[in-house]
Amino acid sequence: MTGILLSLHVIAAILAIGPVAVAASMFPVASRAALADPDSGSVATTGMLHRIVRVYATIGIVVPMLGVATAVNLGVLGDLWILTSIALTVVAAVILTAVVLPAQRLTMAAIDGTGSGVDVATRLTRRLGAATGIFNLLWVVVVVLMIFRPGSTTGV
């Protein structure tokens, strides 16, 4: 059962977190292009990237659920590397839900002309770039902890 849970956890991480990381990273660039030229295809691209982040972030909830289930089956839930991974995952989730997604919504509103001005949206895209970078860096650290975990039986 542990092998199945671990496989599902890794597959879910690749298929759910990967698209969020990529789309969230592309959003600031596409939104700057859309703000500079509202008649370009960047407006549609920005909307698509925002939908990808929103939908896959929701699907991504299954990743930590499967991770905890795997840790319980392995008997390592109380280990420091797992607790650190859980804490970093929570921080990444907070950044995504409290910073990235709201800033994307506000930027989309500015692009559509229903929200704040271009100056506000330009500042938001800078903040989005930084927040997305931190979000992605947190996931890199979690992956490294999963591979180079203390007491690993892989010999790494």
Side-chain angles (χ1 to χ4, degrees), residues 40-123:
S40 73
S42 297
V43 173
T45 300
T46 306
M48 178 190 61
L49 292 171
H50 176 61
R51 276 189 305 281
I52 290 169
V53 172
R54 191 179 67 243
V55 169
Y56 280 85
T58 304
I59 295 168
I61 293 169
V62 75
V63 175
M65 292 169 52
L66 288 167
V68 169
T70 303
V72 167
N73 272 326
L74 286 170
V76 296
L77 188 58
D79 288 5
L80 182 60
W81 64 275
I82 285 287
L83 297 174
T84 303
S85 295
I86 291 170
L88 293 175
T89 298
V90 168
V91 172
V94 168
I95 289 171
L96 184 63
T97 58
V99 179
V100 173
L101 284 168
Q104 284 185 351
R105 269 192 301 278
L106 291 171
T107 302
M108 291 299 302
I111 290 169
D112 294 340
T114 59
S116 301
V118 172
D119 293 336
V120 172
T122 302
R123 284 194 304 270

Side-chain angles (χ1 to χ4, degrees), residues 27-28 139 146:
F27 185 91
W139 282 113
M146 295 293 149

Side-chain angles (χ1 to χ4, degrees), residues 4-23:
I4 292 170
L5 283 171
L6 181 58
S7 296
L8 291 173
H9 174 62
V10 171
I11 291 167
I14 292 167
L15 297 179
I17 305 303
V20 171
V22 172

